Amino acid sequence: MNRMNIVRGIVCAVVVFISCGAHAKERALSTDVVVVGAGSAGLSAAVSAAEKGAKVIVLEKMPFVGGSSNFAEGLFAVKTDQQRKKAIGLTKEEAYWHAMDYHHYRNNADLLAQTITNSTSVIQWLEKQGVRFEVVSMSPTEAPTWHLVQDRGTAHHGAALIQALQDKATELGVKILFETPANGLILDGSRVIGVKALNAKGDSYTIKARSVVVATGGFNNSKEMIKKWTRFDADKVFPTVPINKTGDGINMALAAGADHEGWGLMLHPGTHGEGIKPLGSLYAMTWQPLLWVNKYGDRVVDENAVWAFTFAGNAIERQRDGFVWSIWDDETVRYMMEHGIDNGLGVLVPIGTKLKDLPDEIANAVAKKSSSIVTGNSVEDLAHNMGVEPARLKQNIEQYNHAKEVGHDDRFYRKADTIVPVKTGKLYALKVFPYNFVSLGGVKTTRNMEVIDKNDNAIPGLYAAGADVGGLYGDTYATWTSGMLFQFSCQSGMLAGEKAAAFSKL
């Protein structure tokens, strides 16, 4: 682009900006229920409220619906028809006891119990909206509770569920305002009576409502909120999907006096750098149970932690400088090309996916001098390129390989038959970082999803759903109950919409 085109572009942008400001309007609307956010929680709330006869307006800050739910895959549930047909006998009691043990009783036990109890009915409700499911296990370490959303036309998994809910919302007369983020609640004393918003054109909205549901998808794209509310270094945990989830609903509720709990992030392994493709072959290697060492070349964990992606994310995040090196050899490259990966990235990159372009992606990243992938013709050569002490790395690789040979890992008690040796041909080391898919924690609510204040009193007219709600987890997302947050988003949205509609008629 030449200088004249650049100038023209700047002039056009200024004209558009001035025009927007000049034509910005003050808009006043009224409705029964306002839902802030059009993800799975917000759309569930909108549909549920409209089914109860409420007039509903949805405010969505992005130009599309779905948020991070578009990238989700399945919902947790117990005692569903899908499980019955596969003779899966897991009970709700067993699921609850297992989950409570996992969370060390640091979570809201009542909220978790309700979420498990209602898991059957929310699947049934979604089926009535046109969503279809297949029950699977996400990994060998997890229960068969993951209800994978089936495709809807060209939409896959989470996006298919979102499309079904949007279609139903349209059918029921729900009005969705895109690129119109809410920026504050309207209060009459302690009662919430509406929302203020500002759209991309500069138009301001004052929307009076009998009740409001905040369902803005959490805060995992906000470094400020991560720093303020969680134990994580916001500069060392990377967002999986950067779609502007900045805690808008949570912050509005907090400003209205809401209490809060359960802050955290859902971590998982990932990588990035020059020449590395998002969800490509190198990214898939970060989820495989290979040798992991820290910045000094020392093993740090039983690498089978990667079967539970949140365990793996935790293990990586706590390392000095927030990464580990995943190390493998030419034999592993051959295996991944011919047989495929052993641990899938959900169903986005399923188990058995053959990484046929792995050598090419490695070569491309190395040629671009990526700091995240190095190779070596020997342990000493690899150590040099990693920036670690050769003798130290060699000792750790030898201990790892020896554990395979003798059938016992005396360092981290990894099952020896699962160890993938590092000793054939060229060697490779890939930096693995902690990524976060969604935030955990937010405002406290009642069983009816009413937001409560610091005296445990419901704030009249204010409800919350999905990732804006705290208390479902302890300090870590439980992969054993895979899809719990996706299911909770739909269930809490369904319940919040129903209760908000009832409140609007009082």
Side-chain angles (χ1 to χ4, degrees):
M1 181 180 288
N2 61 36
R3 291 184 180 179
M4 183 56 68
N5 285 336
I6 293 174
V7 171
R8 286 173 180 163
I10 294 173
V11 170
C12 287
V14 171
V15 169
V16 169
F17 176 78
I18 293 173
S19 298
C20 287
H23 295 90
K25 299 177 181 178
E26 297 276 346
R27 300 180 182 273
L29 302 174
S30 64
T31 190
D32 296 325
V33 178
V34 172
V35 178
V36 184
S40 57
L43 288 175
S44 294
V47 169
S48 178
E51 285 181 330
K52 296 300 181 181
K55 180 181 176 183
V56 182
I57 293 175
V58 178
L59 300 176
E60 171 54 51
K61 72 191 293 187
M62 302 299 285
F64 54 86
V65 296
S68 56
S69 292
N70 284 315
F71 306 93
E73 298 168 309
L75 287 72
F76 164 87
V78 182
K79 302 298 289 184
T80 63
D81 194 50
Q82 289 81 3
Q83 290 168 321
R84 180 183 65 83
K85 290 176 179 178
K86 289 190 175 183
I88 297 169
L90 181 71
T91 67
K92 294 182 178 182
E93 290 85 354
E94 289 171 324
Y96 177 75
W97 295 332
H98 190 99
M100 287 301 295
D101 283 348
Y102 182 96
H103 295 301
H104 301 155
Y105 289 73
R106 294 288 301 166
N107 61 320
N108 182 331
D110 194 27
L111 185 64
L112 177 63
Q114 176 172 275
T115 302
I116 292 173
T117 298
N118 293 343
S119 64
T120 314
S121 59
V122 74
I123 293 292
Q124 294 168 342
W125 181 77
L126 288 166
E127 287 177 322
K128 292 177 181 178
Q129 315 309 327
V131 185
R132 296 292 174 261
F133 300 95
E134 177 189 5
V135 65
V136 299
S137 293
M138 187 172 178
S139 83
T141 64
E142 295 163 27
T145 59
W146 199 39
H147 290 68
L148 187 65
V149 181
Q150 300 299 285
D151 292 350
R152 182 183 175 90
T154 59
H156 304 296
H157 310 310
L161 180 146
I162 291 298
Q163 185 181 92
L165 288 176
Q166 184 181 17
D167 289 348
K168 180 59 69 171
T170 300
E171 177 187 321
L172 293 170
V174 172
K175 184 176 183 179
I176 303 176
L177 302 179
F178 291 99
E179 296 184 278
T180 307
N183 54 22
L185 297 172
I186 302 171
L187 298 173
D188 181 6
S190 63
R191 178 170 179 156
V192 174
I193 60 169
V195 174
K196 287 192 174 291
L198 184 70
N199 72 11
K201 297 178 181 179
D203 299 336
S204 60
Y205 286 81
T206 299
I207 307 175
K208 293 295 183 68
R210 299 284 295 172
S211 55
V212 174
V213 180
V214 291
T216 59
F219 60 90
N220 72 304
N221 295 141
S222 170
K223 285 189 175 184
E224 292 75 18
M225 289 194 71
I226 291 173
K227 289 176 182 178
K228 180 176 181 179
W229 295 113
T230 80
R231 62 183 178 82
F232 300 108
D233 184 336
D235 294 320
K236 294 179 181 177
V237 289
F238 302 94
T240 311
V241 185
I243 51 173
N244 209 17
K245 297 295 183 184
T246 53
D248 302 355
I250 296 173
N251 286 327
M252 286 190 292
L254 292 177
D259 201 359
H260 56 84
E261 66 176 327
W263 303 98
L265 296 172
M266 182 196 295
L267 299 185
H268 66 84
T271 192
H272 54 262
E274 289 293 323
I276 296 176
K277 302 174 185 177
L279 293 179
S281 291
L282 283 173
Y283 198 100
M285 292 297 283
T286 68
W287 284 55
Q288 306 314 306
L290 306 173
L291 170 62
W292 282 4
V293 301
N294 61 15
K295 65 176 290 186
Y296 307 110
D298 295 326
R299 284 185 72 199
V300 294
V301 73
D302 170 2
E303 296 87 355
N304 280 325
V306 80
W307 291 108
F309 62 82
T310 53
F311 288 179
N314 285 347
I316 297 163
E317 184 274 333
R318 73 172 306 278
Q319 302 308 314
R320 182 69 64 193
D321 293 344
F323 74 91
V324 297
W325 290 100
S326 178
I327 299 176
W328 66 88
D329 62 11
D330 271 337
E331 175 59 24
T332 298
V333 172
R334 183 197 65 77
Y335 178 89
M336 295 296 172
M337 294 175 68
E338 295 180 4
H339 300 281
I341 59 177
D342 293 322
N343 189 24
L345 285 68
V347 291
L348 295 176
V349 187
I351 294 171
T353 299
K354 295 179 180 179
L355 306 184
K356 294 184 177 180
D357 66 343
L358 179 57
D360 291 339
E361 189 173 340
I362 292 172
N364 184 46
V366 170
K368 292 185 176 181
K369 301 186 184 303
S370 172
S371 61
S372 293
I373 176 75
V374 297
T375 65
N377 294 316
S378 65
V379 172
E380 290 77 12
D381 189 23
L382 185 70
H384 173 76
N385 293 331
M386 291 168 61
V388 305
E389 183 183 339
R392 196 165 177 175
L393 180 63
K394 184 176 182 180
Q395 180 183 16
N396 278 269
I397 291 178
E398 288 178 347
Q399 182 275 327
Y400 176 80
N401 288 336
H402 182 68
K404 174 75 170 182
E405 295 165 1
V406 301
H408 176 67
D409 177 12
D410 60 7
R411 185 74 183 275
F412 292 107
Y413 302 104
R414 176 172 175 172
K415 292 181 179 179
D417 62 345
T418 71
I419 290 174
V420 183
V422 179
K423 56 185 178 182
T424 303
K426 200 167 189 175
L427 306 180
Y428 307 85
L430 173 68
K431 277 186 178 178
V432 184
F433 302 98
Y435 276 70
N436 74 87
F437 182 68
V438 69
S439 59
L440 307 177
V443 300
K444 286 187 175 183
T445 68
T446 67
R447 289 171 60 89
N448 289 332
M449 310 318 300
E450 302 161 291
V451 176
I452 60 176
D453 63 20
K454 293 182 179 180
N455 293 313
D456 296 321
N457 297 314
I459 298 174
L462 183 60
Y463 300 80
D468 285 355
V469 177
L472 192 60
Y473 303 101
D475 64 0
T476 299
Y477 178 82
T479 55
W480 191 87
T481 52
S482 290
M484 177 70 86
L485 187 53
F486 195 9
Q487 184 263 103
F488 176 73
S489 293
C490 295
Q491 180 187 149
S492 60
M494 178 184 71
L495 186 57
E498 176 187 335
K499 299 304 180 182
F503 186 86
S504 72
K505 298 174 183 178
L506 296 178

